[in-house]
Amino acid sequence: MVDRSDTSRENSTSYTHPQETNLLNVHKAMEYDVAGQPILRTTGSNIIANINLSAGFGQVHKFGAVPAMSQNTNGTIWDEDDTIYPWSTIGAGSTLGVKVVEPNNENNTSNDLSGDTVEIQGLDVNFNVITETVTISGATATTSNTFYRVYRAIYANTSDVANSKRILIQVGTTTVAKILENIGQTLMSIYTVPAGKTGYLMRLDVTAQGTATGSFKLYVREGGTGNFGVKHIAEINGTGGPYQLEYPIPQAFPEKSDIDARMHTFANNGRYTCTFDILLVDNPA
């Protein structure tokens, strides 16, 4: 019961909350962050329902899969088997060609998806985000923008049906993004932190199909130049279930850093997936 005789606890403002009396002991729901600032402890469901990132913050949810990584092979977890992502090719900068090919036979082009579109997401020469929508025309469509990074592509049509053919996004003859048939978008466990941002890696998930086993490594090239370095390693076993890591202290990567999730298969060719979540924060002016 609230003691209404305690006038020192009365609201001194002109505003009255409809649940004013229930807020008198709100301090009991307070916690303190690492900087010593008070925060309100509340239930997770309410937090999720009311997420509204303030200005200067953004979020990236990356997810990818490699269809079938061969035994004793290193490769990026993306839509191409047994290959490290071609960073040097895309990093040189180029307009991109969009080509439709037959499933499992990329030497044979197709006109079946002509008139549909592909949205390509990436970065320009200054590492700023650019997005372009290209109308498919067999094997002849190209972007008008020059891309220096590509990290996602999404297929769309008027019938709301996933692509029946395979879509290649290329620099010359080198594929830098691929939309596999019936998937509708790329599955690329790579990302580059845009200019003016710091990326904080919050969570990492990796899975292996069936009895496949392998060594997972998260490679990062900080600042987008020099060599890639290993930032995390884990042994992945399909029968053991998913590997999950929530960073107790988010890992910070500076602007222009390239992130590349890779697997090395030990035994039993298999499909691998990788998901990671990044909080983007504006750098100080």
Side-chain angles (χ1 to χ4, degrees):
M1 178 178 293
V2 176
D3 182 3
R4 298 184 183 279
S5 65
D6 184 359
T7 58
S8 67
R9 296 162 63 88
E10 292 181 357
N11 185 1
S12 61
T13 71
S14 60
Y15 171 75
T16 300
H17 191 281
Q19 299 296 324
E20 178 86 23
T21 57
N22 293 329
L23 299 177
L24 288 175
N25 290 319
V26 71
H27 66 280
K28 293 182 178 180
M30 302 302 293
E31 290 182 347
Y32 295 87
D33 62 19
V34 294
Q37 299 298 316
I39 57 176
L40 187 65
R41 184 172 64 246
T42 183
T43 61
S45 59
N46 287 342
I47 292 174
I48 293 172
N50 293 282
I51 286 177
N52 184 16
L53 293 177
S54 59
F57 292 83
Q59 57 183 330
V60 174
H61 177 67
K62 286 298 298 173
F63 52 94
V66 60
M69 187 77 74
S70 300
Q71 188 169 328
N72 295 321
T73 301
N74 291 302
T76 298
I77 299 178
W78 71 311
D79 306 273
E80 183 109 9
D81 291 331
D82 303 335
T83 59
I84 302 297
Y85 185 76
W87 291 99
S88 59
T89 300
I90 189 64
S94 178
T95 56
L96 306 176
V98 178
K99 179 190 297 186
V100 178
V101 298
E102 295 293 338
N104 300 314
N105 190 348
E106 296 181 0
N107 292 320
N108 288 349
T109 59
S110 171
N111 291 311
D112 284 3
L113 304 182
S114 293
D116 299 340
T117 62
V118 174
E119 180 186 280
I120 302 172
Q121 302 173 10
L123 303 178
D124 65 13
V125 65
N126 296 312
F127 285 77
N128 294 316
V129 174
I130 55 172
T131 299
E132 181 174 346
T133 298
V134 177
T135 300
I136 297 171
S137 180
T140 63
T142 62
T143 64
S144 57
N145 288 296
T146 298
F147 284 78
Y148 287 77
R149 297 290 190 274
V150 173
Y151 49 77
R152 180 172 285 142
I154 303 170
Y155 166 79
N157 62 22
T158 57
S159 61
D160 197 27
V161 176
N163 52 302
S164 58
K165 305 294 182 180
R166 189 171 297 182
I167 302 171
L168 307 182
I169 298 167
Q170 298 181 310
V171 174
T173 59
T174 301
T175 298
V176 295
K178 179 187 296 190
I179 303 177
L180 295 176
E181 55 277 8
N182 303 313
I183 299 298
Q185 76 149 61
T186 52
L187 299 175
M188 308 170 73
S189 291
I190 66 167
Y191 185 67
T192 300
V193 180
K197 307 283 186 180
T198 297
Y200 291 89
L201 184 59
M202 311 292 288
R203 181 184 172 98
L204 180 69
D205 297 85
V206 187
T207 68
Q209 178 188 35
T211 59
T213 64
S215 176
F216 169 82
K217 295 182 180 68
L218 184 71
Y219 282 88
V220 178
R221 179 169 58 180
E222 296 195 10
T225 60
N227 297 325
F228 279 88
V230 176
K231 298 300 181 180
H232 188 72
I233 186 169
E235 309 310 318
I236 310 300
N237 187 325
T239 57
Y243 173 83
Q244 298 176 329
L245 172 64
E246 286 194 31
Y247 286 87
I249 301 175
Q251 300 298 292
F253 300 127
E255 64 176 3
K256 306 178 184 180
S257 292
D258 296 314
I259 302 171
D260 187 339
R262 302 179 188 175
M263 284 296 306
H264 175 90
T265 297
F266 291 147
N268 303 320
N269 300 1
R271 173 182 172 87
Y272 298 95
T273 72
C274 176
T275 299
F276 54 86
D277 292 288
I278 293 177
L279 177 68
L280 293 176
V281 180
D282 284 355
N283 294 332

